[in-house]
């Protein structure tokens, strides 16, 4: 595995030859865990060469304290990436991606970015402008054939798919199912900041989502009943959710009734000091 920092080093390494098969790319913010490992492993199985980036992107943070306290572990990250099959590990400097200052200038339609995590009460509408800006700059530098994103960040996945379509980029976006701890908690770099009590409390989130999934499988058609059930379970466990919503996984439009098509049931909640998100795709019965 080659480790590179500047964009010019990256270009030089990529120019050395691309191996056989497609170039895969896994963009991350570092503090890698088994969820990231799954994305990298999938890429290494499906691609000739795998590039992984680790960059804590300032323009997607609405809160300076959150940005400052985001975990940074480049040495451990490089080891995990290499073991998972990464060929080129890129840790860009801020100036590599933002040579003209920290401005977010790539956006997709508000319908996708001003709801759920992009709502004013969440991370705000500028959050996804930060995400699309950094991902489009990373794509421009890496020029992948296939890019891998986690379904855990379902809204981000929908936004990136839209951005890729809007810009007519020749990149296939592949979503990878959420990797969880054995107790059900979705893996996240932010879990490192949960104390033991908050971690225990946070388990109510996957439990509630699982129960809602079971209700849908048993024939519950009203998404209002499903979201009310999740909300109730969270509150019972001392968690005040930021949102619990049922939406179309592609265009994020609200869905009132299970209709035989997949429905995204998404939750955000702050537990202890840590904002967590999780979701399930409800299949329901047709
Ligand atoms: P992050 O470093 O949190 O920005 O995540 C980088 C990529 O890993 C994103 O595409 C995430 O959706 C994905 N990811 C994060 N956590 C998980 C998880 N538990 N399972 C699968 N993918 C994940």
């Amino acid at each position: 595995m080659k480790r590179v920092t500047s964009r010019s080093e990256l270009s030089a390494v990529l120019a050395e030859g691309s191996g056989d098969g497609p170039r895969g790319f896994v963009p991350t913010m570092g503090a890698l865990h088994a969820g990231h490992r799954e994305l990298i492993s999938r890429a290494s199985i499906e691609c000739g060469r795998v590039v992984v980036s680790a960059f804590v992107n300032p323009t997607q943070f609405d809160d300076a304290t959150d940005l400052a306290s985001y975990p940074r572990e480049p040495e451990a990250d490089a080891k995990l990436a290499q073991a998972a099959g990464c060929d080129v590990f890129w840790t860009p400097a801020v100036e590599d991606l933002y040579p003209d200052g920290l401005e977010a200038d790539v956006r997709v339609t508000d319908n996708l970015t001003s709801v759920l995590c992009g709502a004013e009460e969440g991370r705000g509408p500028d959050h996804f402008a930060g995400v699309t800006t950094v991902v489009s700059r990373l794509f421009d530098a890496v020029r992948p054939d296939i890019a891998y994103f986690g379904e855990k960040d379902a809204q981000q996945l929908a936004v990136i798919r839209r951005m890729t379509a809007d810009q007519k980029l020749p990149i296939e976006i592949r979503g990878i199912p959420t990797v969880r701890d054995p107790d059900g908690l979705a893996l996240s770099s932010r879990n490192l900041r949960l104390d033991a009590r908050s971690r225990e409390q946070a388990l109510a989130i996957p439990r509630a989502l699982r129960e809602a999934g079971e209700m849908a499988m048993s024939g519950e058609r009203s998404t209002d009943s499903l979201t009310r059930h999740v909300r109730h379970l969270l509150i019972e466990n001392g968690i005040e959710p930021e949102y619990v919503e049922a939406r179309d996984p592609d265009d994020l439009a609200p869905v009132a009734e299970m209709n035989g098509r997949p429905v995204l049931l998404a939750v955000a909640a702050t537990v202890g000091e840590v904002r967590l998100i999780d979701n399930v795709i409800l299949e329901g019965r047709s």
Side-chain angles (χ1 to χ4, degrees), residues 66-114:
D66 192 25
L67 173 61
S69 64
Y70 199 86
R72 289 166 173 84
E73 305 167 346
E75 294 312 312
D77 288 348
K79 279 204 189 101
L80 184 149
Q82 181 164 25
C86 168
D87 299 297
V88 182
F89 185 67
W90 183 30
T91 46
V94 172
E95 307 76 56
D96 283 309
L97 295 173
Y98 294 101
D100 303 321
L102 289 176
E103 205 194 324
D105 53 10
V106 178
R107 289 171 190 271
V108 299
T109 167
D110 278 1
N111 297 352
L112 293 183
T113 57
S114 65

Side-chain angles (χ1 to χ4, degrees), residues 26-30 32-36 38-39 60 70 148-153 156 176-180 186-189:
V26 182
T28 80
M29 295 211 298
L32 301 186
H33 51 62
H36 301 109
E38 181 68 21
L39 271 62
Q60 72 188 73
Y70 199 86
Y148 294 81
F149 291 85
E151 289 175 359
K152 172 174 168 282
D153 299 279
Q156 172 171 281
I176 302 296
T178 303
V179 177
R180 299 177 180 278
L187 294 182
S188 163
S189 308

Side-chain angles (χ1 to χ4, degrees), residues 188-255:
S188 163
S189 308
R190 290 170 195 275
N191 293 357
L192 293 171
R193 288 166 44 208
L194 287 170
D195 61 27
R197 191 180 159 275
S198 302
R199 200 183 179 292
E200 187 61 34
Q201 202 181 8
L203 294 180
I205 299 173
R207 206 159 53 230
L209 289 171
R210 203 172 49 239
E211 284 190 18
E214 286 161 8
M215 284 168 71
M217 287 305 285
S218 314
E220 177 60 67
R221 297 183 67 88
S222 155
T223 63
D224 192 43
S225 301
L226 298 171
T227 55
R228 269 194 287 123
H229 182 76
V230 171
R231 194 173 279 280
H232 174 75
L233 259 170
L234 295 183
I235 291 171
E236 210 174 59
N237 283 276
I239 299 173
E240 182 60 49
E242 179 185 304
Y243 64 72
V244 180
E245 293 191 37
R247 290 183 174 260
D248 181 281
D250 295 325
D251 65 12
L252 304 182
V255 178

